[in-house]
């Protein structure tokens, strides 16, 4: 039996994996703040005795696309998004820092400022932000949180805190298995950066849907070609069986 | 079975959920005191198919630089209520009240639990009690005597009534307003009513127009804060994303079909 069957089988399997990655990008086409994942195939050469005739393909996620998504204006005071290459910091359930570009913030019953999943937003010192009872909250262009305390006249604005804003190198960012974006381990801690924050807006998903649909067609056809090769190897096996048949 | 099929399924479900939230907002575009809800999504976990740094061959120096992590789709986190102020609509009805600012009216449900609402279209029932349009009693109760000709409610919530032949107005009581630190955490139960939850925090009850409580405006109602243009754009987006994800389902299906027919 020719081993080409196994080569084309691996090609078909990797195309399926890549299709799953592409489907995940499409499924998150309207998830605010989602960053699409790149996907690529790499030739894995088989070393061994004899001729070098086997190269298996291998699917991998080399990186995540950290480019900005579209800004959606919502008008809600607690919706914030960052501009340029800036990120806001949140505290993950694992207890470390992760970075987001869009937060639909909420104030919890005990006065903590959290994102929509309940992860605390961090201030410039890297600590969770705790608010007194407020009448009105405004996030300034540099992440400054100013409030009108409960019961105070509307012109009595108190500057309370500042969001932790960082400007990481995109090549040093990675998306973890829990979906949070963090710095690659081994990098120095990022300092507070001068980043512009947009108030009353969220950043949409950066998935390029047109590209994802084209990729989907391409992967489907690639898969069909691999299956065709599997069928060819079946025909080959049938033909060699015929040579040895008595009649 | 094909992984892409299940991932695309989560995408379809998410858009369906979003459309349900949008159609609920559109259905309530003219509901007094209604607050729009926004569907929020979260990408699900990633699965490690190949660990970064795993051996790619016999040579120890040959390791995978990036590996393969596959996302397993999207899920709806929930519908977040957007508690922004709606427009005030002047009705000139004496018992139509709007809150200009923060806070909720308190009403009693049939079991005597306190519910919260911003829909101030009040009426008087057969006993003279002030009730909501669904018949729930206002808390604290305000009794209107039968022979009253005019009711005046101040910005601070004092309820005064005029009786024929009496020069001085009689005081019927005082409206109260409840504030929450996180109104988005309230549980909506329909009929424009909310219950307090752990997430919303405990209510702080105050007189209207006092400290951070909003003022009561008599003869006006707060319109729904649904932005219909935004909802329609969201609807287009949801529909198109749904179509794309259904294309991904067909593609996964086509791959399986091709395999079954050809091998």
């Amino acid at each position: 039996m020719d081993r080409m069957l196994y080569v084309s089988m691996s090609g078909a399997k990797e195309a399926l994996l890549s299709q799953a990655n592409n489907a995940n990008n499409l499924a998150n086409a309207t998830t605010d703040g989602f960053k699409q994942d790149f996907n690529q195939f790499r030739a894995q050469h088989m070393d061994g005795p004899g001729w070098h005739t086997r190269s298996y393909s291998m699917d991998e996620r080399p990186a995540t696309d950290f480019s900005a998504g579209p800004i959606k204006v919502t008008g809600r005071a607690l919706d914030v998004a960052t501009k340029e290459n800036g990120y806001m910091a949140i505290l993950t359930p694992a207890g470390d820092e992760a970075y987001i570009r869009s937060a639909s913030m909420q104030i919890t019953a005990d006065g903590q400022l959290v994102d929509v999943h309940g992860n605390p937003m961090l201030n410039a010192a890297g600590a969770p932000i705790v608010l007194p009872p407020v009448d009105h909250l405004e996030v300034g262009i540099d992440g400054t949180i100013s409030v009108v305390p409960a019961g105070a006249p509307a012109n009595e604005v108190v500057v309370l805190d500042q969001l932790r804003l960082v400007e990481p190198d995109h090549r040093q960012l990675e998306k973890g298995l829990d979906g949070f974006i963090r710095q690659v381990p081994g990098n120095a801690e990022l300092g507070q950066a001068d980043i512009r924050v947009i108030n009353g807006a969220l950043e949409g998903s950066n998935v390029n849907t047109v590209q994802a649909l084209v990729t989907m067609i391409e992967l489907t056809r690639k898969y069909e070609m691999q299956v065709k090769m599997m069928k060819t190897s079946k025909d080959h096996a049938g033909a060699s069986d015929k040579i040895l048949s008595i009649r | 079975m094909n992984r892409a099929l299940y991932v695309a399924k989560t995408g379809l479900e998410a858009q369906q959920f979003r459309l349900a939230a949008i159609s609920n907002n559109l259905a309530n575009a003219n509901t007094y005191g209604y607050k729009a809800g926004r569907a929020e999504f979260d990408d699900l976990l990633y699965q490690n198919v190949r660990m970064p740094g795993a051996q790619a061959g016999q040579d120890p120096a040959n390791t995978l630089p990036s590996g393969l992590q596959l996302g397993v789709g999207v899920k709806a986190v929930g519908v977040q209520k957007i508690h922004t102020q709606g427009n005030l609509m002047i009705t000139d009805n004496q018992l139509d009240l709007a809150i200009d600012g923060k806070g909720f009216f308190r009403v009693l449900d049939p079991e005597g639990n306190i519910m919260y609402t911003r829909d101030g279209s009040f009426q008087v029932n057969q006993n003279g009690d002030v009730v909501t349009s669904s018949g729930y009693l206002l808390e604290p109760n305000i009794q209107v005597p039968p022979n009253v000709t005019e009711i005046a409610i101040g910005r601070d919530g004092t309820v005064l009534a005029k009786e024929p032949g009496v020069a001085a107005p009689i005081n019927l009581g005082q409206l109260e307003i409840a504030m929450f630190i996180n109104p988005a955490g309230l549980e909506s139960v329909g009929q424009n009513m909310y219950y307090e939850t752990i997430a919303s925090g405990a209510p702080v009850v105050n007189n209207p127009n006092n400290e951070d409580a909003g003022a009561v405006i008599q003869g006006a109602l707060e319109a729904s804060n649904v932005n219909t243009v935004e909802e329609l754009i969201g609807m287009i987006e949801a529909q198109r994303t749904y179509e794309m994800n259904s294309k991904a389902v067909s593609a996964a299906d086509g791959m399986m079909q091709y395999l079954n027919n050809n091998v």
Side-chain angles (χ1 to χ4, degrees):
Chain A
M1 177 117 184
D2 190 0
R3 279 164 196 78
M4 94 182 243
L5 175 61
Y6 294 96
V7 180
S8 40
M9 181 199 77
S10 101
K13 176 174 148 254
E14 300 297 312
L16 272 183
L17 288 175
S18 191
Q19 189 73 294
N21 175 74
N22 198 50
N24 184 55
N25 284 345
L26 266 180
N28 286 292
T30 57
T31 306
D32 288 342
F34 180 78
K35 300 289 173 215
Q36 66 177 353
D37 294 306
F38 291 122
N39 198 260
Q40 70 175 30
F41 293 103
R42 195 145 56 96
Q44 284 296 81
H45 212 65
M46 284 295 285
D47 291 326
W51 295 103
H52 287 258
T53 54
R54 309 264 175 257
S55 278
Y56 289 86
S57 81
M58 192 186 69
D59 181 44
E60 61 186 2
R61 182 180 80 163
T64 303
D65 179 0
F66 290 112
S67 61
I71 294 287
K72 308 192 299 186
V73 175
T74 62
R76 181 173 169 264
L78 288 175
D79 287 348
V80 285
T82 50
K83 288 191 74 161
E84 292 98 27
N85 294 326
Y87 287 78
M88 291 168 280
I90 53 168
L91 190 68
T92 69
D96 59 347
E97 203 175 80
Y99 302 118
I100 53 174
R101 284 181 59 88
S102 161
S104 141
M105 298 191 293
Q106 298 198 29
I107 302 170
T108 64
D110 45 14
Q112 253 197 1
L113 198 61
V114 297
D115 74 353
V116 74
H117 314 301
N119 304 310
M121 305 288 298
L122 297 178
N123 64 10
I129 297 169
V130 183
L131 304 169
V134 296
D135 236 353
H136 183 75
L137 184 145
E138 194 75 47
V139 179
I141 198 110
D142 59 350
T144 301
I145 300 169
S146 43
V147 298
V148 176
N155 57 2
E156 190 183 303
V157 179
V158 180
V159 175
L160 200 74
D161 216 334
Q162 188 186 11
L163 289 171
R164 174 157 161 72
L165 298 168
V166 294
E167 193 171 14
D169 177 357
H170 280 169
R171 288 165 305 184
Q172 298 302 323
L173 286 179
E174 63 177 11
K175 199 195 277 185
L177 291 177
D178 48 7
F180 286 111
I181 294 168
R182 296 183 180 85
Q183 259 201 309
V184 176
N187 278 297
E189 192 175 304
L190 295 161
Q192 182 78 358
D194 185 18
I195 295 294
R196 288 181 58 200
V197 176
I198 318 167
N199 194 203
L202 291 173
E203 184 182 294
S205 160
N206 76 342
V207 173
N208 181 339
T209 46
V210 178
Q211 189 190 15
L213 286 174
V214 172
T215 306
M216 189 168 78
I217 296 168
E218 187 194 6
L219 288 169
T220 308
R221 298 297 170 225
K222 191 182 258 178
Y223 175 84
E224 287 177 3
M225 276 190 257
Q226 304 297 332
V227 173
K228 211 175 187 67
M229 293 306 284
M230 286 159 77
K231 186 164 186 309
T232 308
S233 83
K234 181 182 167 187
D235 295 346
H236 285 185
S240 30
D241 289 349
K242 266 210 191 73
I243 294 170
L244 297 173
S245 70
I246 298 167
R247 261 176 275 166
Chain B
M1 199 49 196
N2 195 338
R3 193 193 289 256
L5 207 53
Y6 292 100
V7 176
K9 182 206 75 141
T10 66
L12 289 177
E13 279 172 349
Q15 296 312 320
Q16 214 163 3
F17 173 83
R18 186 175 176 198
L19 195 60
I22 289 172
S23 43
N24 189 39
N25 286 344
L26 285 174
N28 287 296
N30 285 323
T31 308
Y32 294 127
Y34 177 78
K35 297 297 173 208
R38 181 168 74 196
E40 303 266 6
F41 300 112
D42 194 3
D43 50 339
L44 288 171
L45 299 178
Y46 282 73
Q47 287 180 308
N48 236 335
V49 181
R50 292 192 184 92
M51 272 298 280
Q55 289 286 120
Q58 290 295 314
D59 179 4
N62 187 2
T63 57
L64 298 178
S66 51
L68 176 61
Q69 291 88 30
L70 286 180
V72 293
V74 61
K75 78 163 192 290
V77 178
V79 177
Q80 187 181 349
K81 284 272 182 198
I82 311 289
H83 280 269
T84 52
Q85 177 94 27
N87 293 334
L88 292 188
M89 299 168 66
I90 306 297
T91 62
D92 286 335
N93 207 341
Q94 284 187 359
L95 281 176
D96 280 350
L97 305 176
I99 300 176
D100 182 16
K102 283 170 67 173
F104 296 83
F105 293 114
R106 298 190 302 156
V107 296
L108 291 179
D109 73 0
E111 285 80 49
N113 301 318
I114 292 193
M115 298 190 292
Y116 301 90
T117 181
R118 284 183 67 95
D119 176 6
S121 51
F122 292 106
Q123 290 163 36
V124 178
N125 69 3
Q126 73 277 20
N127 312 326
D129 297 322
V130 173
V131 291
T132 69
S133 43
S134 317
Y136 299 130
L137 288 174
L138 187 62
E139 167 71 21
N141 190 10
I142 304 239
Q143 272 249 324
V144 180
N147 56 348
V148 159
T149 54
E150 198 181 325
I151 298 175
I153 299 168
R155 287 175 63 85
D156 59 353
T158 35
V159 185
L160 300 174
K162 187 126 181 50
E163 286 182 322
V166 185
I170 46 171
N171 190 333
L172 298 183
Q174 168 73 45
L175 293 173
E176 286 178 355
I177 280 185
M179 261 86 52
F180 292 92
I181 188 164
N182 178 24
L186 291 166
E187 178 198 3
S188 8
V189 286
Q191 297 182 306
N192 290 335
M193 299 292 169
Y194 299 95
Y195 281 115
E196 134 189 23
T197 66
I198 290 175
S200 68
V204 177
V205 178
N206 213 327
N207 288 348
N209 211 14
N210 179 9
E211 291 192 354
D212 57 336
V216 169
I217 313 285
Q218 188 186 15
L221 286 172
E222 184 183 7
S224 146
N225 73 344
V226 173
N227 178 342
T228 44
V229 178
E230 197 177 324
E231 298 297 332
L232 289 174
I233 286 180
M235 192 154 75
I236 294 169
E237 198 178 43
Q239 187 183 357
R240 297 301 175 213
T241 312
Y242 186 89
E243 286 167 13
M244 284 174 201
N245 278 286
S246 72
K247 270 204 160 41
V249 171
S250 337
D253 171 44
M255 285 159 93
M256 292 284 121
Q257 190 183 19
Y258 191 83
L259 181 71
N260 292 338
N261 293 344
N262 288 290
V263 172

